């Protein structure tokens, strides 16, 4: 059984083929970094135009890499939301056209569920319920995952997403876009204790996050010190504070919910300091931490295939009325 998945929620045009819900046959991703780089963030109109140019070559690329033709595809999964509406519509229109012409079942997938299900492509030892931190360019959420499709929201960011903070700080420091990978790398050359940036903690016991104060603190530091600082020290100091907030609140939620397994998901889950710090801190509390390979943390269609396959098995089908939902919530 071959499932073709399509993902265009933000600035990656992606397609993948999953065999029998288990075996990745292809995973093709076209990023748009060079288009959005000069703006320091994604420009929605440019993103959807680029998706239009890339969608057919990327789908063809995924089929070719899988060694199959469109006639051998048995079902199609596509990201319905959340994301940029103009970007989502390109993938949805392509998926609907293919499903209609080839008379194939179509499954709609929540992008955040895709990020969470990415771990199931690589691990079979994760037991429900577990805690997941989904941290990407557009989202920072903590959920208790009750089973494949049931989620209990525990906390979320009240302002910027974690990845957005990395991107904005990189913009302040003129490091390019996306900021996460550059700051991750540069931090290794910096002294994380040289500058202490503030961590936002809520006194009401909530499991929410806030990153805008940290971003502003970095901006104020840069403005106050002009050129009298080492960029790597700022990167390392910022990363320490951001990672600290993510680790503290995630572990707090795991303890509160009595969960011993934590799954990291989304682009920020690539961060080497986050992976290491979360693992160490969790181990001290007798908890385990899991995260997918980097290519499955950032946006890709294989994770959409994995999540879509499960919904396909349950008999879920989308029809030709399927529309993008920019603010789609998990479990909706
Ligand atoms: O999941 P993703 O590819 O797209 C969204 O759904 O948003 O996440 C992209 C985000 C960007 O903000 C990027 O800067 C961040 O993930 N990111 C990282 C790292 N790699 C990517 N953040 C911190 N450290 C990294 N190594
Ligand atoms: Zn994503």
């Amino acid at each position: 059984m071959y499932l073709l998945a399509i993902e265009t929620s933000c600035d990656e045009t992606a397609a993948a083929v999953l065999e029998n819900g288990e075996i990745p046959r292809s995973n093709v991703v076209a990023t748009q970094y060079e288009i959005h780089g000069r703006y320091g963030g994604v420009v929605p109109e440019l993103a959807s135009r680029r998706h239009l140019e890339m969608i057919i070559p990327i789908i063809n690329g995924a089929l070719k890499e899988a060694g199959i033709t469109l006639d051998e595809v048995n079902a199609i999964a596509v990201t319905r939301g959340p994301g940029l509406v103009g970007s989502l519509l390109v993938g949805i229109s392509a998926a609907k056209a293919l499903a209609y012409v080839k008379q194939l079942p179509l499954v709609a997938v929540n992008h955040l569920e895709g990020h969470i299900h990415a771990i199931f492509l690589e691990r079979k030892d994760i037991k429900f319920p577990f805690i997941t931190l989904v941290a990407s360019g557009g989202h920072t959420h903590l959920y208790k995952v009750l089973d494949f499709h049931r989620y209990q929201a525990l906390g979320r960011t009240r302002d910027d997403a974690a990845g957005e903070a990395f991107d904005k700080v990189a913009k302040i420091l003129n490091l390019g876009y996306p900021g996460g990978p550059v700051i991750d790398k540069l931090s290794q050359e910096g002294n994380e204790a040289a500058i202490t940036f503030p961590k936002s903690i809520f006194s009401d016991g909530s499991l929410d996050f806030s990153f805008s104060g940290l971003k502003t603190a970095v901006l104020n530091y840069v403005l106050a010190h002009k050129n009298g600082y080492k960029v790597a020290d700022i990167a390392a100091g910022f990363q320490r504070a951001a990672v600290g907030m993510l680790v503290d609140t995630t572990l707090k939620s795991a303890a509160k919910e009595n969960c011993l397994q934590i799954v990291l998901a989304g682009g920020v889950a690539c961060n080497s300091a986050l992976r290491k710090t979360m693992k160490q801190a969790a181990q001290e509390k007798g908890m385990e931490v899991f995260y997918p390979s980097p290519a499955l943390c950032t946006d890709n269609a294989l994770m959409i295939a994995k999540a879509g396959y499960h919904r396909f098995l349950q008999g879920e089908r989308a029809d030709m009325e399927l529309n993008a939902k920019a603010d789609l919530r998990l479990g909706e």
Side-chain angles (χ1 to χ4, degrees):
M1 190 278 180
Y2 292 116
L3 179 83
L4 169 69
I6 299 170
E7 150 67 42
T8 60
S9 68
C10 189
D11 60 341
E12 269 93 20
T13 319
V17 174
L18 185 66
E19 185 182 344
N20 294 336
E22 291 281 338
I23 310 158
R25 289 292 297 263
S26 63
N27 191 21
V28 180
V29 182
T31 63
Q32 302 182 356
Y33 298 156
E34 72 288 358
I35 294 172
H36 306 290
R38 79 186 87 143
Y39 305 102
V42 179
V43 184
E45 179 63 25
L46 298 180
S48 47
R49 285 185 204 190
R50 187 64 178 158
H51 283 308
L52 270 178
E53 291 166 358
M54 295 309 290
I55 189 76
I56 302 292
I58 289 299
I59 290 172
N60 282 336
L63 293 172
K64 195 170 170 211
E65 195 179 295
I68 63 165
T69 65
L70 192 54
D71 289 327
E72 289 170 86
V73 171
N74 304 101
I76 297 178
V78 65
T79 305
R80 174 182 170 223
L84 302 169
V85 74
S87 291
L88 289 162
L89 281 171
V90 176
I92 291 175
S93 305
K96 285 204 290 191
L98 290 175
Y100 181 74
V101 170
K102 296 289 175 188
Q103 286 298 297
L104 293 172
L106 178 63
V107 184
V109 177
N110 183 307
H111 181 78
L112 299 175
E113 181 164 283
H115 273 303
I116 296 166
H117 282 222
I119 196 70
F120 300 131
L121 287 159
E122 297 183 323
R123 309 282 312 211
K124 295 208 185 304
D125 51 348
I126 294 161
K127 294 184 187 65
F128 300 109
F130 60 84
I131 297 294
T132 187
L133 168 70
V134 187
S136 70
H139 302 274
T140 307
H141 293 277
L142 274 171
Y143 298 103
K144 182 173 180 180
V145 185
L146 305 172
D147 64 35
F148 282 108
H149 301 145
R150 283 195 308 136
Y151 307 90
Q152 184 186 331
L154 303 174
R156 58 179 300 169
T157 181
R158 293 192 185 177
D159 39 59
D160 292 349
E164 189 180 354
F166 274 88
D167 296 336
K168 285 180 174 168
V169 165
K171 192 175 177 185
I172 293 168
L173 299 174
N174 282 318
L175 297 173
Y177 172 83
V182 201
I183 290 183
D184 193 349
K185 198 156 170 260
L186 191 61
S187 294
Q188 286 160 21
E189 298 160 26
N191 172 5
E192 62 171 24
I195 310 159
T196 303
F197 288 114
K199 292 200 270 181
S200 305
I201 300 160
F202 294 105
S203 52
D204 59 3
S206 108
L207 297 169
D208 284 348
F209 300 97
S210 168
F211 292 98
S212 74
L214 172 60
K215 168 199 67 190
T216 307
V218 172
L219 178 63
N220 288 341
Y221 188 93
V222 168
L223 292 176
H225 294 80
K226 299 285 179 235
N227 293 322
Y229 55 79
K230 233 179 110 189
V231 178
D233 287 348
I234 296 189
F238 157 75
Q239 182 172 274
R240 178 160 95 156
V243 165
M245 284 194 265
L246 291 170
V247 171
D248 292 350
T249 309
T250 303
L251 291 187
K252 203 162 111 189
S253 73
K256 203 169 162 189
E257 295 296 326
N258 273 321
C259 285
L260 293 178
Q261 293 193 325
I262 296 165
V263 171
L264 308 184
V268 179
C270 291
N271 187 270
S272 54
L274 176 65
R275 288 172 175 239
K276 199 171 144 202
T277 314
M278 189 79 83
K279 209 159 204 162
Q280 275 172 359
Q283 242 161 25
E284 285 165 18
K285 294 187 183 303
M287 297 171 184
E288 279 181 294
V289 176
F290 304 92
Y291 35 76
S293 309
L296 294 176
C297 287
T298 48
D299 285 353
N300 67 89
L302 207 49
M303 68 185 197
I304 302 301
K306 189 67 178 167
Y309 181 76
H310 215 270
R311 291 197 173 264
F312 170 80
L313 283 187
Q314 300 214 317
E316 271 194 34
R317 301 291 180 264
D319 60 21
M320 289 300 127
E321 303 290 309
L322 178 64
N323 205 348
K325 194 158 189 321
D327 59 351
L328 185 67
R329 295 161 75 103
L330 204 52
E332 197 179 329

